Amino acid sequence: MTDIASLARDEAAERAALIDVQRYDVAIDLRGLFEGEVWAATSTVSFTCREPGASTFVDCVGDVSEVTLNGESLDPATAERGRIPLPGLRADNVLVVAHTQSDTSSGTAILRTVDPSDKLVYVWSSFEPDRARYAFACFDQPDLKAPHGFVVDAPETWTVTSNSAPERVDQLDDGGRRWTFGDTPRLSTYVTVVNGGPFHELRSSRGGYDLGLYCRQSLRQFLERDAEELFDLTDRGLAFFGERFDRPFAQERYDQVFVPNMGGAMENWGSVTWTDSVLYRSTPTYGQRAVRSQILLHEMAHMWFGDLVTMQWWNDLWLNEAFASWASNWAGVHCTTFTDEWATFLAGNKMNGYRQDMSPATHPIRGDVPDVAQAMANFDAITYSKGASVLKQLMAFVGEDRFVEGLRAYFREHAWGNTQLADLMSAIGAAAGRDLEDWTVAWLDRAGTDVLRLSDGTITASSPDEEDPRPHHLDIASYAVDGDGLTLVATTPVETTGRETHVDLPEADLHLLNATDYTFAAMRPDAASVRVLLERASHLPAAVDRAQAVVIGFQMLFDGELTAEELFECVLEMLSRESSPAVIEPFLNTALEIAQRWSAPDRIAPELERLAVVAARIADDPDHTTPALRTLAASASSAEHFARLDEASASDIDLAWRVATRRAALGQYDEAAVEALLARDPDPDAGVRALAVRTARPLPDAKSEAWVELFEKRNIPAGPMLASIIRAFWQPNQDDVLLPYSYRFLEEIPALAGGGMLAVFGLMFGMFPQVADDGFVERAQDMATDPECDPTVRAALLIGTDALTRMERARAA
């Protein structure tokens, strides 16, 4: 299955002009997965053809055993590169395809997992962008929507979930049970789903909806601990979006299925599948709960943006992902307790958006997507985070009420259909009474980040291309130094035009560009303001503005205009006064990254020691104890630090693993202590934590063991478990041991191309080397410029080498 065709935009347009799908009836047999690897499916597709006698093809990847078109058999051997030719179409057609899929261990579309603690088997599926064709024969493109009816045969002990509620469950004469699900509404194939296994299930009726939560049996204690919060967030989100969009979610049942070894979450209509790593094995921090809330609301927003109304082709992927990212933060502020969500977003996801958009891998939010392979590369921080930021800018530009009315009109007109960018912009423009054509071109069709510099009352804007800078709506907050603090003098709203915009600002010691964070641009305050910002950012009254100060500093570090030491000092000073749980964890993470990755080698140890002192002080505050102790575990540098950590980790198994990993990195590996932790930890994936401890050792054998598990056996669950191995692997000041693996990464990364999006992105981007020499950078850049390079691989290479180059410059400063 290495030579599978990627559907081209022109092919999709031609097929959509020719046929219309009436419905799918899909019979799936999961029983072969109970002890084996085979997923079996028979897909019956009813469709019409506008040109009888014409030909097309249906998508199907796997072993095709039978094909009939309008009652006439076709030769299964004609299937090639994941396509079955369909000649001589009639006006009305019925296609039946039987096939099996044995690739159920890679996560390309289907993943069979065995729980290491109790050996129970679970199966989940995820089809974005074009992976439904691996599970059943279909016309796998977003603009051929149709109702789907699923009938699933499964082992006796399994529960099966799909997009709708099961209408009946019957015993089978030859063993197992048959689950018959109600028809879905008109959906694109990529948002359909079938999952199966001996799930633990919880249900609750809230707000007129039947809500379900599922997880594997070994995690039931963690789901039951968090169930009330998850049910409450789901209830609040459905009510908020239903009211604001003037269109309630159109189905009573709404399930969320937490599955093993998934790298994220997927917005399947009515049955969201997401990683069970968010069922945290230790009591979650505020930051972890906020991330989980954001994911929950992001996937829920897709029920409107993506499922109800779907982009016509993948060049408008942002219509799905940017809107869901924006909507999740918007809803978080208005209907949950995470009211500083925009500050968390700025300090985390948006900062990552800046990094990619300022790299050679930048692309327009609405990019050119000639085929689905290119679409895979656009599931990135530009589409998600920059896209969400641009929508926040648009809402500020036209006003929230008019923006929402435009969305309501958009849903009314296009429900269950497909759209392009112009459909949305015309709806918002009509509601706002504005012509948004120029705004659309500037913000969505151009790549890169504008830079806004303030000097002597003038904002000078520069763009990364030859065009005029984009229009920016922003606030400038002016502060006077008042003793040790800051006093707000005035807030000045600004709409920039062209390359220079004159602003009437009051006398002040600090002019904070982009206060409240309305726009997306690299900010450069005047020199006097930068000095005050570095010294007194902790005194800014709003969490989002304190996050803005850190982001401005990081942007300047990124561009070589600020040293790592200067920014590290600023962040430590901010942490010494920070009280908001919305930003304290992102700030701790930023300080740790600066110390480990951006500082000169001889500065790493002393900066980690200083961070450890600050983290230990923060840990005295019960509201921030856990995140501070986790940072202390990553930076512990003295016997006093470890004594405190040992005491705290007696009742916190997650912390205990982190402490053991830090000790191993410092050459203090204790095998007996690791065995004791394994015996104590109820997590079925605890073996991965033990591997992380061994991996952190500065030894070639330690790195080799992890490499085999990561790239050869693919045994590491996606998500936080994978992240723990990555952190342990790329330890600072282990360059001699690690450099050979940088080159090995270049040998491995091409093989990741084309794999399941949620399965391979963590390896492709997360495991990108943190150690390099000139030869590595040159070779990686040569690979990226090869015309045959996979688009997602190219993006990973460009982003990674750009970051390494900037880090090396900072280390040498």
Side-chain angles (χ1 to χ4, degrees):
M1 281 193 258
T2 57
D3 185 25
I4 304 301
S6 178
L7 185 68
R9 176 177 51 209
D10 293 344
E11 292 177 312
E14 181 179 344
R15 190 162 63 174
L18 180 67
I19 69 169
D20 185 47
V21 184
Q22 303 303 301
R23 64 174 290 110
Y24 289 97
D25 290 286
V26 184
I28 294 172
D29 194 339
L30 301 180
R31 291 175 295 177
L33 291 162
F34 188 70
E35 294 182 343
E37 299 180 340
V38 178
W39 164 297
T42 299
S43 178
T44 301
V45 190
S46 302
F47 65 100
T48 60
C49 175
R50 297 179 181 89
E51 299 177 18
S55 300
T56 188
F57 60 90
V58 70
D59 304 299
C60 188
V61 179
D63 296 320
V64 179
S65 58
E66 184 178 356
V67 183
T68 64
L69 177 61
N70 300 322
E72 298 182 8
S73 296
L74 300 181
D75 185 358
T78 60
E80 186 178 12
R81 302 185 69 209
R83 296 176 174 183
I84 303 171
L86 303 177
L89 297 178
R90 300 176 185 173
D92 296 290
N93 301 272
V94 177
L95 171 70
V96 181
V97 179
H99 100 298
T100 57
Q101 179 58 259
S102 57
D103 179 11
T104 55
S105 61
S106 69
T108 298
I110 303 157
L111 187 66
R112 176 188 186 270
T113 64
V114 181
D115 190 301
S117 64
D118 56 22
K119 307 307 179 186
L120 294 177
V121 175
Y122 298 87
V123 176
W124 57 264
S125 62
S126 183
F127 299 150
E128 192 170 31
D130 64 344
R131 297 302 189 254
R133 58 187 174 147
Y134 287 73
F136 59 95
C138 58
F139 298 107
D140 207 359
Q141 61 189 74
D143 59 344
L144 288 176
K145 301 174 78 168
H148 293 67
F150 288 102
V151 176
V152 184
D153 295 347
E156 179 72 31
T157 57
W158 284 16
T159 296
V160 179
T161 66
S162 188
N163 301 94
S164 55
E167 294 183 336
R168 48 194 278 207
V169 181
D170 301 313
Q171 294 295 134
L172 293 170
D173 293 339
D174 57 347
R177 293 187 293 172
R178 173 165 293 168
W179 297 69
T180 302
F181 293 90
D183 283 357
T184 72
R186 285 177 55 85
L187 297 177
S188 300
T189 49
Y190 79 89
V191 293
T192 63
V193 67
V194 170
N195 301 316
F199 291 112
H200 178 55
E201 178 182 4
L202 299 175
R203 305 208 70 81
S204 180
S205 296
R206 308 276 176 114
Y209 292 102
D210 176 19
L211 308 181
L213 303 173
Y214 298 81
C215 74
R216 49 180 158 150
Q217 292 291 334
S218 60
L219 298 182
R220 61 187 301 168
Q221 63 175 307
F222 306 116
L223 179 63
E224 290 175 354
R225 177 198 64 198
D226 296 340
E228 178 53 37
E229 180 170 73
L230 291 166
F231 280 133
D232 182 61
L233 285 169
T234 306
D235 179 27
R236 290 172 180 269
L238 288 171
F240 177 80
F241 287 136
E243 187 277 327
R244 295 304 279 150
F245 298 151
D246 196 27
R247 193 178 191 96
F249 177 63
Q251 181 173 284
E252 181 182 359
R253 188 178 177 104
Y254 190 89
D255 289 339
Q256 296 174 87
V257 186
F258 300 92
V259 297
N261 197 8
M262 189 180 196
M266 181 60 207
E267 65 267 19
N268 313 303
W269 169 262
S271 185
V272 175
T273 309
W274 50 337
T275 173
D276 65 14
S277 64
V278 297
L279 301 177
Y280 302 109
R281 309 329 190 236
S282 294
T283 302
T285 65
Y286 177 98
Q288 288 176 314
R289 291 171 51 236
V291 166
R292 188 168 62 190
S293 171
Q294 192 272 334
I295 295 170
L296 186 151
L297 293 169
H298 177 105
E299 304 307 327
M300 181 183 290
H302 274 306
M303 301 302 124
W304 289 266
F305 296 107
D307 294 6
L308 176 69
V309 181
T310 313
M311 76 267 148
Q312 182 173 320
W313 180 245
W314 297 103
N315 60 317
D316 279 322
L317 171 67
W318 79 279
L319 284 172
N320 291 8
E321 298 301 346
F323 262 96
S325 296
W326 163 79
S328 63
N329 291 290
W330 179 56
V333 169
H334 289 287
C335 74
T336 78
T337 59
F338 304 106
T339 53
D340 270 337
E341 181 61 34
W342 283 119
T344 305
F345 171 76
L346 172 59
N349 290 341
K350 187 171 182 179
M351 188 149 73
N352 290 334
Y354 281 127
R355 294 192 203 199
Q356 181 172 346
D357 202 44
M358 295 164 71
S359 82
T362 185
H363 61 81
I365 294 173
R366 182 178 67 163
D368 182 36
V369 182
D371 56 31
V372 181
Q374 180 62 54
M376 286 274 287
N378 287 0
F379 285 86
D380 60 14
I382 292 175
T383 297
Y384 284 70
S385 301
K386 182 182 180 181
S389 303
V390 167
L391 290 171
K392 185 183 180 187
Q393 160 93 182
L394 178 59
M395 186 169 69
F397 184 57
V398 303
E400 181 169 344
D401 289 344
R402 292 176 178 177
F403 186 77
V404 169
E405 182 49 46
L407 297 182
R408 291 177 172 183
Y410 176 71
F411 291 131
R412 284 194 301 269
E413 184 173 353
H414 300 290
W416 308 118
N418 295 85
T419 58
Q420 301 180 51
L421 171 64
D423 299 310
L424 178 69
M425 288 298 115
S426 63
I428 295 175
R434 285 180 178 256
D435 182 352
L436 296 177
E437 183 176 352
D438 290 343
W439 185 96
T440 300
V441 171
W443 278 104
L444 302 178
D445 292 336
R446 291 169 56 195
T449 303
D450 286 356
V451 179
L452 303 183
R453 297 182 182 274
L454 178 64
S455 179
D456 297 327
T458 297
I459 296 176
T460 303
S462 58
S463 67
D465 53 28
E466 300 299 320
E467 303 294 327
D468 285 340
R470 302 170 177 92
H472 293 269
H473 176 98
L474 69 152
D475 283 352
I476 301 176
S478 301
Y479 291 90
V481 172
D482 184 5
D484 291 333
L486 295 170
T487 298
L488 180 65
V489 176
T491 299
T492 306
V494 179
E495 286 193 11
T496 66
T497 54
R499 299 183 184 276
E500 288 192 353
T501 303
H502 298 284
V503 187
D504 185 13
L505 295 174
E507 288 292 325
D509 300 298
L510 165 63
H511 298 295
L512 179 64
L513 285 167
N514 202 22
T516 316
D517 191 38
Y518 286 131
T519 196
F520 187 96
M523 300 297 164
R524 297 294 187 271
D526 60 276
S529 291
V530 170
R531 288 194 298 272
V532 175
L533 200 62
L534 291 174
E535 295 170 0
R536 298 173 183 262
S538 63
H539 295 273
L540 291 167
V544 70
D545 288 343
R546 298 194 295 277
Q548 187 69 263
V550 172
V551 170
I552 289 172
F554 212 102
Q555 289 173 333
M556 295 179 70
L557 172 64
F558 206 66
D559 281 346
E561 299 178 28
L562 197 68
T563 67
E565 188 172 357
E566 288 174 310
L567 182 56
F568 186 71
E569 292 285 346
C570 173
V571 178
L572 284 192
E573 196 278 331
M574 295 178 73
L575 282 167
S576 70
R577 294 177 48 85
E578 189 55 63
S579 60
S580 170
V583 294
I584 202 163
E585 290 184 57
F587 289 175
L588 285 166
N589 293 337
T590 297
L592 184 63
E593 180 188 346
I594 296 168
Q596 291 184 328
R597 303 299 176 198
W598 293 83
S599 300
D602 63 345
R603 296 291 307 160
I604 293 175
E607 289 191 353
L608 287 176
E609 185 171 5
R610 291 186 62 202
L611 176 58
V613 170
V614 171
R617 190 179 306 127
I618 295 171
D620 292 333
D621 184 338
D623 290 337
H624 308 306
T625 298
T626 300
L629 287 176
R630 289 176 180 176
T631 302
L632 179 59
S635 57
S637 307
S638 69
E640 180 183 357
H641 296 156
F642 282 110
R644 179 167 186 180
L645 289 166
D646 288 340
E647 180 181 0
S649 63
S651 58
D652 185 340
I653 187 66
D654 174 78
L655 183 63
W657 283 118
R658 293 169 187 262
V659 175
T661 303
R662 175 64 175 165
R663 281 195 166 109
L666 295 174
Q668 302 168 24
Y669 176 72
D670 185 340
E671 187 171 355
V674 171
E675 292 298 322
L677 287 176
L678 280 170
R680 171 183 157 196
D681 193 346
D683 185 353
D685 297 320
V688 181
R689 303 300 296 269
L691 175 62
V693 177
R694 298 194 299 273
T695 301
R697 296 173 296 165
L699 302 173
D701 288 349
K703 307 304 180 184
S704 177
E705 180 189 13
W707 193 268
V708 169
E709 296 295 323
L710 285 164
F711 287 102
E712 296 180 19
K713 297 182 179 179
R714 299 279 185 95
N715 274 345
I716 308 302
M721 287 297 174
L722 175 60
S724 72
I725 298 295
I726 292 171
R727 288 194 302 270
F729 192 95
W730 298 108
Q731 287 287 326
N733 284 342
Q734 295 184 0
D735 293 16
D736 290 344
V737 176
L738 290 171
L739 184 59
Y741 288 95
S742 297
Y743 284 90
R744 286 186 67 177
F745 179 83
L746 296 181
E747 297 171 1
E748 296 284 356
I749 190 172
L752 298 176
M757 183 172 64
L758 298 179
V760 303
F761 272 25
L763 282 176
M764 194 178 293
F765 291 91
M767 265 301 285
F768 197 91
Q770 299 297 305
V771 174
D773 57 14
D774 291 343
F776 169 85
V777 172
E778 182 178 353
R779 183 175 168 190
Q781 291 175 340
D782 286 345
M783 290 175 62
T785 57
D786 184 340
E788 300 300 316
C789 184
D790 175 81
T792 308
V793 171
R794 179 182 296 113
L797 292 169
L798 291 174
I799 294 168
T801 54
D802 181 65
L804 285 172
T805 301
R806 293 174 189 267
M807 288 176 186
E808 186 57 36
R809 180 179 62 197
R811 292 171 189 144

